[in-house]
Amino acid sequence: MLSTSAFAQVYPDKSRAVRVLVPFGAASSTDILARALAKGISDVAGLNVIVDNKAGAEGQIGMVAGKTAAPDGYTLVMTTSSTQVLNPHMIPNLAYDPVVDFTPVAGIAKFSLILNAGPSVTQPNLRELLKAARENPGKFSFGSGTATTRLAAELLQSLGGIKLLAVPYKSQTDAIVGLAGGQVDIVFMDLPGSSPHYKSGRVRPLAVTGTSRMSALPDVPTAQEEGLAGYEVSGWWAAYFPAKTPPAIVAAMRDIVEKALKTQSVKDAFTTYALEPLPLTGNAFTAFQQSDSLRLGKLVRDANLASKP
């Protein structure tokens, strides 16, 4: 039997493909960034990298596939704060443990969301939409396929004093397509998943959920600018291995990912979608995830957003 150090010396085996498992649908923001990262990994390490989408149940299906994968360094899980810090607070009887079942490899990027309006929304801005929603409780609907986007909509209701109809989707990609098709009125989504739908004119950005405007959308105000004091929702992407992956293998992939993040394909994605790097690994990343879980957990409890068992 090979020791951990001996195993690391033959890793990665270029005759084997690396699977980047994405717990969300194709063309989702996570998928877009995962494909850029996959190309970067291939470029710097000469590996065959395959992106595998397993969407559904707010990321649970993909995360279960990730936790049960062999801990041999050939399944890399690319996911978000939705599955790693929000799901445990919002979904009872979660099918995986984000801490126990996974080993962090590296932080990838941070992001804010965009509140997008569909063709059924005639109000020109968020301020007017909130006014109309207060006057017509339950008239407007929101679509969501992740915990982060659901939190954004629930917090909008809580701080805006409105009541929206919730429409769940299998994935966030399905939600934004539903928005463009007029099935729902608003959908929160980050820029990579939102921007392809702006060209048609059927989807338009009303506000961003961060504390400052996006450089890629300088004319779109923050929700706080539109009168929602204290409103802020942000998230992040990170790469993980299944738990019990040998430390030497984790370190080797960490080095590959860090080099991949400097490749042109990844830098182009960061520029196009106004993403902020999240250069954390090891204990620093673990502490960051724990801190974010505490922060968002309090937000979920204060807004009474947790689902009942």
Side-chain angles (χ1 to χ4, degrees):
M1 181 176 179
L2 285 174
S3 67
T4 298
S5 59
F7 188 41
Q9 291 175 7
V10 299
Y11 176 86
D13 180 353
K14 293 184 181 180
S15 69
R16 295 187 60 183
V18 172
R19 176 175 65 149
V20 177
L21 199 156
V22 176
F24 305 107
S28 65
S29 304
T30 308
D31 175 72
I32 291 170
L33 191 56
R35 291 180 188 279
L37 180 65
K39 185 178 186 309
I41 291 173
S42 179
D43 288 346
V44 301
L47 294 167
N48 179 25
V49 187
I50 301 168
V51 176
D52 184 10
N53 301 91
K54 291 191 179 298
E58 295 191 349
Q60 291 189 82
I61 292 173
M63 297 310 293
V64 169
K67 83 170 186 178
T68 56
D72 58 4
Y74 294 94
T75 296
L76 186 68
V77 181
M78 175 74 170
T79 191
T80 75
S81 49
S82 282
T83 66
Q84 302 310 91
V85 298
L86 269 176
N87 278 359
H89 297 292
M90 298 182 72
I91 299 176
N93 304 316
L94 195 64
Y96 64 94
D97 187 310
V99 176
V100 174
D101 293 332
F102 297 94
T103 297
V105 174
I108 304 298
K110 293 189 285 186
F111 63 89
S112 294
L113 297 173
I114 303 164
L115 191 168
N116 295 295
S120 58
V121 175
T122 59
Q123 289 73 23
N125 53 49
L126 175 57
R127 195 180 295 269
E128 290 297 319
L129 176 60
L130 289 173
K131 180 176 181 292
R134 292 187 191 107
E135 295 171 351
N136 302 275
K139 175 184 177 181
F140 295 93
S141 60
F142 74 89
S144 67
T146 69
T148 301
T149 57
R150 183 157 65 95
L151 172 65
E154 297 285 4
L155 193 61
L156 180 72
Q157 295 182 87
S158 177
L159 296 182
I162 61 175
K163 178 62 177 176
L164 302 172
L165 175 65
V167 180
Y169 283 86
K170 180 180 178 181
S171 73
Q172 203 57 27
T173 303
D174 293 336
I176 196 79
V177 170
L179 179 70
Q183 297 171 7
V184 290
D185 297 306
I186 65 170
V187 164
F188 286 87
M189 196 162 188
D190 43 35
L191 188 59
S194 298
S195 58
H197 296 272
Y198 294 155
K199 296 177 183 178
S200 70
R202 295 183 63 80
V203 173
R204 56 193 172 95
L206 291 188
V208 298
T209 64
T211 56
S212 59
R213 297 191 181 196
M214 289 184 177
S215 58
L217 297 172
D219 296 329
V220 179
T222 67
Q224 292 186 17
E225 289 179 88
E226 290 291 279
L228 281 180
Y231 187 94
E232 179 189 359
V233 178
S234 59
W236 43 265
W237 286 284
Y240 296 79
F241 272 147
K244 299 183 180 179
T245 299
I249 303 303
V250 177
M253 180 54 78
R254 181 183 302 132
D255 289 344
I256 292 172
V257 169
E258 288 179 343
K259 291 175 182 175
L261 290 173
K262 298 175 183 177
T263 61
Q264 197 61 47
S265 64
V266 177
K267 289 200 277 190
D268 286 347
F270 272 57
T271 300
T272 300
Y273 300 118
L275 303 181
E276 182 181 348
L278 181 60
L280 296 176
T281 60
N283 292 335
F285 181 84
T286 298
F288 167 80
Q289 181 172 319
Q290 291 173 341
S291 175
D292 210 39
S293 180
L294 290 173
R295 177 181 70 87
L296 291 173
K298 183 178 185 303
L299 190 61
V300 169
R301 290 191 299 274
D302 288 351
N304 195 30
L305 302 181
S307 300
K308 300 297 187 291

